[in-house]
Amino acid sequence: MSLTIGVDIGGTKVGGGLVDEAGNVLATARRPTPADDTPGVISAVKDVVDELRADRDGIEAVGIGAAGWISADRSTVMLAPNLSWQDEPLREKVAEATGLPVIVENDANVAIWGEHRFGAAAGFRSSVLYTIGTGVGGGIVVKDYLLRGTHGVAAEIGHTLMVPDGRECGCGRLGCLEQYASGRALTQAAREGADREPDKAALMLKLAGGEADSITGRQISEAARDGDEVALAAFDSVGYYLGNSAADMVQLIDPGVIIIGGGVVDAGDLLLEPVRRHFTAALSKRATLPVAEIKAAVLGSKAGVIGAADLARSRG
Ligand SMILES: [Zn+2]
């Protein structure tokens, strides 16, 4: 049995899994992320790896997924906004600490690789992933090749232009998709809607104790399920932008499947139905031709660990 370890370095925790060649997670381990302490993050990764390989021989390699811009040779975190890393030679340091071969990859890239090999995109050669969390991450696989680009930073779908001269984005541009289709954008749409039309947001406001500014993602989902008009409109807004962006992906890549993952997809059809509806509308005549299906991710938060472990196995 071929075993590798996948590690997901998040803003709050370092999560790892021991994964076999069929994508099964045989054991997991986690440590808190000491976000401002780079040597501390390396130690946390080492601890996770050591826990997973205790009493086992034959671990082949470690794959790491990290938020940020990763170099094309998969060795260095060029910039990681949440961890204040710059030009951090992560591969070398983890290899030194563990004595194992290491690859480093962007967190959205490892997630789509997991879904592509073992999840919602299994069986399709070309796929696109949107990860809808606080922000919007993206990954693209074309003909079983993970698209990294010349400099390692391809597939930043969240920072493609959605609204010219629109909302300011953390990346410095105006009008990025992330500002309209993230979990944060969903909450903003719901809060603004509840301020504007409180009568139509009665269910949501009740859940939030009457305060529009306290409305949470979970409350938006709960109220939408019970028919709250403003909550449904907030999902429709996110679905509008995601559907339009997904239609652009069809024009560019013609994938077999477009996957929506990340925490917000827990809302299920509340999100997917408007995405599909706006996607079809945005494709116009092209929607009459064979076109990608839109599916929810299936591996959840394990996608990154499974994908990172698989990429470490192939190391290609
Ligand atoms: Zn941006």
Side-chain angles (χ1 to χ4, degrees):
M1 190 163 49
S2 165
L3 295 175
T4 53
I5 288 173
V7 178
D8 183 14
I9 302 180
T12 57
K13 70 175 191 327
V14 175
L18 181 68
V19 184
D20 70 14
E21 69 267 22
N24 298 305
V25 180
L26 307 179
T28 60
R30 66 160 69 180
R31 295 286 185 282
T33 306
D36 296 325
D37 168 14
T38 301
V41 175
I42 307 292
S43 301
V45 172
K46 181 184 187 308
D47 287 352
V48 163
V49 170
D50 284 347
E51 184 177 328
L52 291 170
R53 69 174 168 180
D55 308 321
R56 280 180 199 267
D57 294 325
I59 307 291
E60 290 177 20
V62 177
I64 297 177
W69 293 341
I70 314 295
S71 61
D73 67 356
R74 299 191 290 169
S75 68
T76 304
V77 182
M78 296 188 285
L79 193 66
N82 296 330
L83 295 167
S84 50
W85 285 356
Q86 206 161 0
D87 293 326
E88 177 64 29
L90 188 62
R91 181 173 73 189
E92 190 186 320
K93 287 188 177 172
V94 176
E96 205 172 280
T98 62
L100 290 168
V102 174
I103 61 119
V104 181
E105 189 65 76
N106 171 270
D107 58 347
N109 281 356
V110 294
I112 192 171
W113 192 253
E115 294 286 349
H116 184 75
R117 291 276 286 129
F118 307 110
F124 295 91
R125 295 204 60 198
S126 300
S127 53
V128 173
L129 171 73
Y130 290 83
T131 305
I132 315 298
T134 312
V136 175
I140 296 172
V141 171
V142 177
K143 284 191 157 183
D144 299 318
Y145 174 79
L146 178 61
L147 189 70
R148 297 189 183 89
T150 303
H151 307 99
V153 285
E156 287 286 351
I157 303 171
H159 299 285
T160 54
L161 184 68
M162 183 45 63
V163 177
D165 298 321
R167 294 176 188 160
E168 190 174 358
C169 184
C171 75
R173 297 185 81 192
L174 299 178
C176 290
L177 175 68
E178 176 164 296
Q179 298 307 314
Y180 298 87
S182 60
R184 199 180 286 145
L186 176 77
T187 309
Q188 186 180 342
R191 289 176 179 178
E192 287 175 1
D195 259 341
R196 209 167 39 238
E197 298 182 286
D199 294 351
K200 294 182 177 173
L203 289 172
M204 204 163 49
L205 281 167
K206 191 177 168 198
L207 291 169
E211 293 287 333
D213 285 349
S214 318
I215 291 170
T216 65
R218 195 174 300 244
Q219 290 164 348
I220 302 167
S221 297
E222 193 179 336
R225 264 184 213 106
D226 289 334
D228 185 285
E229 283 184 54
V230 171
L232 287 166
F235 277 110
D236 192 75
S237 171
V238 168
Y240 171 78
Y241 293 112
L242 275 180
N244 274 275
S245 174
D248 272 359
M249 289 300 147
V250 165
Q251 307 291 16
L252 283 174
I253 293 157
D254 191 17
V257 63
I258 294 173
I259 305 161
I260 314 285
V264 179
V265 86
D266 291 347
D269 282 343
L270 289 174
L271 176 66
L272 292 173
E273 186 280 322
V275 173
R276 291 183 179 121
R277 180 162 36 83
H278 290 294
F279 173 68
T280 302
L283 285 169
S284 189
K285 290 178 187 170
R286 183 145 179 191
T288 62
L289 302 174
V291 72
E293 52 185 301
I294 296 203
K295 293 168 73 173
V298 297
L299 298 179
S301 57
K302 285 192 294 189
V305 162
I306 294 170
D310 194 67
L311 285 166
R313 177 171 294 110
S314 57
R315 298 201 285 284

